[in-house]
């Protein structure tokens, strides 16, 4: 909305909007979903926070993105999981600062992506929003055709996903 606001107050913002989010003492508690909807060429969830005492908000990304290229038909679900059971989604608290970091309130150790429309993914690029961190033993991406699972990427060495970073994946097919 438009209008004048008192400039002495501090204002906080969260993207995307979450009616259940709580703000207390410069910390926003919200949820990064453990089930995300895949949108070809884009993402549906990517936390960003901002605060201001003036009239302009400058958002800072909280998550990192993991790109997966689907090059096979009939894929019904894709899953991302740290090899050491790291928290990758769930309820998080994020201090609003120039370099926002997160702390887990309740954790999910995997993130699944389902198609936005229909029962299967179209071929193309899709993005997971993941809590940034170092994955001590790497991570695994698994694709499903119905109940049949196939590991499409297993990075078995330490890997760091930075805030506001995007890591890419190779195209995959499932036998």
């Amino acid at each position: 909305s438009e209008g004048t606001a008192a400039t002495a107050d501090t204002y906080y913002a969260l993207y995307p909007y979450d009616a259940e989010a709580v703000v207390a003492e410069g910390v926003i508690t919200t949820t990064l979903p453990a089930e995300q909807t895949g949108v070809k060429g884009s993402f549906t969830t990517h936390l960003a926070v901002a605060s201001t005492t003036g009239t302009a908000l400058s958002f800072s990304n909280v998550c990192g993105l993991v790109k997966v290229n689907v090059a096979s038909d009939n894929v019904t679900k894709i899953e991302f999981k740290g090899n050491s059971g790291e928290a990758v989604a769930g309820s998080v608290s994020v201090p609003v600062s120039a370099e926002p970091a997160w702390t887990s309130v309740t954790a999910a150790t995997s993130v699944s992506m389902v198609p936005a429309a229909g029962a299967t993914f179209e071929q193309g690029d899709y993005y997971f929003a993941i809590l940034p961190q170092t994955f001590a033993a790497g991570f695994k991406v698994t694709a499903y055709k119905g109940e049949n699972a196939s590991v499409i990427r297993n990075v078995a060495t330490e890997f760091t996903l930075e805030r506001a970073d995007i890591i890419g994946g190779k195209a995959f097919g499932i036998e």
Side-chain angles (χ1 to χ4, degrees):
S1 67
E2 291 185 27
T4 58
T7 56
D9 292 337
T10 299
Y11 299 94
Y12 297 94
L14 171 67
Y15 179 84
Y17 174 73
D18 176 3
E20 304 298 318
V22 176
V23 179
E25 299 179 17
V27 176
I28 298 175
T29 301
T30 187
T31 300
L32 176 63
E35 183 174 287
Q36 299 175 11
T37 303
V39 174
K40 185 177 170 181
S42 189
F43 51 87
T44 57
T45 300
H46 189 359
L47 297 180
V49 294
S51 70
T52 185
T53 55
T55 58
L57 288 169
S58 179
F59 283 89
S60 295
N61 293 322
V62 175
C63 297
L65 296 176
V66 176
K67 174 182 163 186
V68 176
N69 179 272
V70 176
S72 180
D73 291 329
N74 302 316
V75 175
T76 56
K77 181 172 84 170
I78 308 167
E79 182 181 67
F80 178 94
K81 188 173 193 171
N83 289 335
S84 293
E86 294 89 349
V88 293
S91 178
V92 293
S93 292
V94 182
V96 179
S97 63
E99 296 292 326
W102 61 273
T103 56
S104 181
V105 177
T106 59
T109 57
S110 67
V111 174
S112 62
M113 185 185 307
V114 295
T120 62
F121 287 96
E122 292 181 41
Q123 292 187 18
D125 293 333
Y126 296 86
Y127 297 85
F128 285 102
I130 303 293
L131 294 171
Q133 63 197 286
T134 297
F135 294 91
F139 64 89
K140 186 181 306 180
V141 177
T142 305
Y144 292 82
K145 285 188 173 185
E147 295 299 316
N148 298 323
S150 178
V151 174
I152 57 169
R153 182 81 169 147
N154 185 18
V155 175
T157 59
E158 182 177 291
F159 180 83
T160 300
L161 174 62
E162 300 286 341
R163 180 184 66 79
D165 199 7
I166 299 175
I167 60 169
K170 295 179 181 178
F172 63 85
I174 303 172
E175 297 300 325

